[in-house]
Amino acid sequence: MKEITFRVSRFDPETDSQPHLEEYTVEVHDGARVLHALHAVHAMDPTLAYRWCCGAGQCGSCAVKVDGIPGLACLTEARDGMVVEPLDLPVTRDLEVELAPYLGRFTHIEPAESAEFPTQAEIEAIKPLRECIECMSCVSVCPALQVSDFAGPTAMRQELRLALDPRDTGNRAAEAVARGLFACTSCQQCRIVCPKEIQIPGKAIEKLREVAARQGLALPRHTTVAEMVRETGRSVDRTKPTLLEQVPAVIEPEGEVKATIGFFVGCMYNGRLPETALDMLAVMRRNGIRVIIPHEQVCCGSPLIRTGQTEFVDYLKRRNIEAFRTRDIDLVMTMCAGCGSTLKNDYKTPFRVMDATEVLAKYGCEAPAKLPLTVTYHDPCHLLRGQGISEEPRALLRTVVKEFVETPNQCCGSGGGVRSGRPEVAAALGEKRGEAFEASGAGMVVSCCPFCEYHISEHTNLPVKDLMTLLREGYEEKDRQRAGKKA
């Protein structure tokens, strides 16, 4: 037995205006779960309200937040000092939340009068989608649900499950579009918190969007982008000289060559923010990285995959893989979070793919001068959850700024085709993000994604910069300081 002290959120709607934390000390066995700790508290204070049923991770009843992260109380290990709170849904009492409105969004099968049993292939396609235990963890973290009429991630999962079942007669794609299918930002939060590891964005929502696209239900702006990719190989139009028009195929570093890498440019850094990409290349030169830039590379296909318009994607994959496969490189580097996530998760590449921050962490980064700035960092969804990269950007930031402050992570709203297809949803999430940044006390927002940078800058009064631009400025300041000392 061991003794742990932890806090639990308490709320009685008859006496409390808002939830508050109360501290408890209990004895539990080694390896005890949060549910066991709650049982121990309940033995002392029978007024504590929480849900549980099976105690074995199969029913979803005991979902709560532990230190801010949703999980099943019966599977999450109890820790000294932990904080146990309800999911971010309407609270009815203590750790209990209102579930009926969200369960009511599940659609039900519309059976045919006669139908054949699903084939083995259809059963296998449906199987990953039917593992849901209706814990509503995914619903509690979905940013789109906060600002739109979106039915929610698990409701979309159910729509695709029925769409794949030959016994169902409903038009699930049209129904899903009407229920907000294109409001999902592909932020991946639902996937991360799902106790059954259901890949809702990639295996349900994007697949449902494919069905919708085949039925001619893709949003007009999305079809325009897809047509641009088919015609030009790029998802953004040319408004100024592109990066590929400005740089040679090989950029040699200063000093000793630590590595030779290929650079996958991406559409945004090629066409809209080439200056930022040039900053990154200057940083790589400073740190001994030879950069190979195949000029025949094209869009990674992410805008098409996220919006369900996938008939042209295999061509893009083949062209990009061939562009880098024939080069003598150690790895392929991305700078755009969305491109990096796509190459890592949607491609089968014969080469390793790394984000620019990973490259600097792997091969070493010369310390820049510290700039007199207080900054906060925005985690791009496709970098944090799509690639699992969190610490590398923060470590680099701390080398170049005087003070770094955290802002609670949340999607900015620009991903998944939402900025183009559902701009009102993207704007609402952008406003929430801007408010959080301005409340942080920071004087600047830093990120590692062109879409996030572009979008956030429209919804905050703070300047927004890419991390690589900040590093380049830090090196320039370091050179000025050195020159001043010599003078």
Side-chain angles (χ1 to χ4, degrees):
M1 298 290 285
K2 64 180 180 181
E3 188 177 86
I4 64 171
T5 299
F6 65 104
R7 292 181 291 167
V8 179
S9 179
R10 301 300 305 268
F11 174 69
D12 183 342
E14 295 183 0
T15 59
D16 299 327
S17 59
Q18 58 185 12
H20 62 280
L21 295 175
E22 291 189 13
E23 187 172 275
Y24 299 93
T25 299
V26 299
E27 284 193 346
V28 295
H29 291 285
D30 288 340
R33 299 315 190 212
V34 172
L35 184 59
H36 301 140
L38 294 176
H39 287 338
V41 172
H42 190 264
M44 299 185 300
D45 181 0
T47 67
L48 177 64
Y50 59 101
R51 287 192 181 97
W52 74 284
C53 185
C54 72
Q58 299 302 311
C59 72
S61 301
C62 65
V64 292
K65 286 194 308 180
V66 181
D67 294 334
I69 301 173
L72 299 183
C74 65
L75 298 183
T76 307
E77 187 169 354
R79 302 184 293 270
D80 186 62
M82 67 182 177
V83 177
V84 183
E85 300 170 285
L87 297 178
D88 289 330
L89 298 173
V91 179
T92 55
R93 185 181 181 93
D94 295 337
L95 301 176
E96 294 181 352
V97 294
E98 184 62 64
L99 297 177
Y102 305 99
L103 293 170
R105 294 176 180 176
F106 281 27
T107 192
H108 302 287
I109 193 167
E110 297 177 13
E113 291 184 4
S114 63
E116 294 182 2
F117 194 77
T119 65
Q120 188 60 42
E122 288 168 334
I123 291 172
E124 291 302 315
I126 293 170
K127 187 181 295 184
L129 302 171
R130 69 184 187 200
E131 297 297 318
C132 176
I133 55 177
E134 300 177 5
C135 67
M136 297 299 134
S137 292
C138 64
V139 170
S140 75
V141 298
C142 178
L145 269 169
Q146 300 173 13
V147 298
S148 74
D149 56 356
F150 185 37
T154 194
M156 293 295 110
R157 171 204 57 80
Q158 176 74 350
E159 292 278 15
L160 182 63
R161 175 185 173 179
L162 294 176
L164 296 174
D165 194 324
R167 297 165 295 185
D168 181 65
T169 61
N171 188 342
R172 300 306 174 184
E175 184 174 274
V177 171
R179 302 178 73 203
L181 174 62
F182 289 102
C184 169
T185 65
S186 302
C187 74
Q188 304 284 329
Q189 291 195 65
C190 56
R191 176 184 64 83
I192 294 295
V193 303
C194 177
K196 294 300 179 181
E197 300 181 347
I198 301 173
Q199 300 180 41
I200 296 178
K203 299 298 185 182
I205 290 174
E206 288 173 9
K207 298 302 181 185
L208 200 53
R209 288 175 175 179
E210 282 189 53
V211 177
R214 288 197 296 269
Q215 295 182 12
L217 299 174
L219 300 184
R221 177 55 184 157
H222 292 166
T223 58
T224 298
V225 171
E227 190 58 36
M228 187 182 301
V229 174
R230 289 189 190 92
E231 292 178 357
T232 69
R234 291 293 170 189
S235 63
V236 299
D237 51 358
R238 184 185 184 281
T239 59
K240 55 185 171 182
T242 67
L243 179 75
L244 291 175
E245 291 170 344
Q246 299 180 53
V247 296
V250 181
I251 298 178
E252 295 291 345
E254 301 172 4
E256 179 187 358
V257 178
K258 297 179 183 177
T260 300
I261 65 171
F263 175 35
F264 188 86
V265 177
C267 298
M268 284 291 286
Y269 285 125
N270 183 56
R272 294 284 174 82
L273 298 168
E275 301 84 2
T276 308
L278 290 170
D279 290 339
M280 183 277 295
L281 293 172
V283 170
M284 292 298 160
R285 288 191 68 237
R286 180 92 176 208
N287 285 283
I289 306 298
R290 176 188 289 126
V291 182
I292 308 296
I293 310 176
H295 280 50
E296 65 269 31
Q297 62 181 287
V298 291
C299 174
C300 68
S302 178
L304 307 185
I305 296 170
R306 308 304 153 224
T307 59
Q309 302 172 101
T310 56
E311 65 276 6
F312 194 64
V313 170
D314 284 345
Y315 166 78
L316 300 175
K317 290 180 179 180
R318 289 194 300 269
R319 182 163 171 179
N320 285 323
I321 289 172
E322 189 62 21
F324 289 95
R325 185 189 62 79
T326 56
R327 263 66 177 193
D328 184 17
I329 54 177
D330 299 311
L331 55 92
V332 170
M333 175 184 66
T334 58
M335 187 181 175
C336 171
C339 293
S341 181
T342 299
L343 264 62
K344 289 179 179 180
N345 300 314
D346 297 291
Y347 278 52
K348 292 182 179 179
T349 63
F351 42 77
R352 186 178 182 186
V353 179
M354 295 181 73
D355 181 70
T357 60
E358 291 181 292
V359 170
L360 292 176
K362 177 178 175 65
Y363 294 106
C365 183
E366 176 192 341
K370 279 191 179 280
L371 303 174
L373 300 171
T374 298
V375 307
T376 189
Y377 176 67
H378 172 73
D379 283 287
C381 296
H382 288 298
L383 194 65
L384 176 64
R385 287 175 285 273
Q387 302 181 58
I389 296 174
S390 171
E391 290 309 312
E392 291 88 344
R394 286 169 168 78
L396 291 169
L397 257 181
R398 291 187 178 97
T399 68
V400 73
V401 298
K402 179 181 178 182
E403 186 177 1
F404 169 57
V405 297
E406 290 281 8
T407 302
N409 174 256
Q410 183 62 281
C411 177
C412 73
S414 65
V418 174
R419 179 179 164 88
S420 60
R422 294 289 304 273
E424 76 287 357
V425 175
L429 289 172
E431 288 297 322
K432 290 171 69 70
R433 204 71 187 118
E435 291 169 2
F437 290 137
E438 288 165 21
S440 72
M444 178 182 291
V445 181
V446 176
S447 193
C448 296
C449 171
F451 292 96
C452 295
E453 180 182 345
Y454 222 77
H455 189 62
I456 291 169
S457 64
E458 295 178 352
H459 299 284
T460 179
N461 293 319
L462 300 177
V464 182
K465 284 190 179 181
D466 188 273
L467 173 59
M468 295 298 159
T469 298
L470 211 58
L471 288 172
R472 191 263 304 161
E473 291 175 354
Y475 288 136
E476 289 182 349
E477 178 59 26
K478 186 176 185 177
D479 292 343
R480 280 193 292 269
Q481 292 175 2
R482 285 176 174 173
K485 289 180 179 178
K486 290 180 180 179

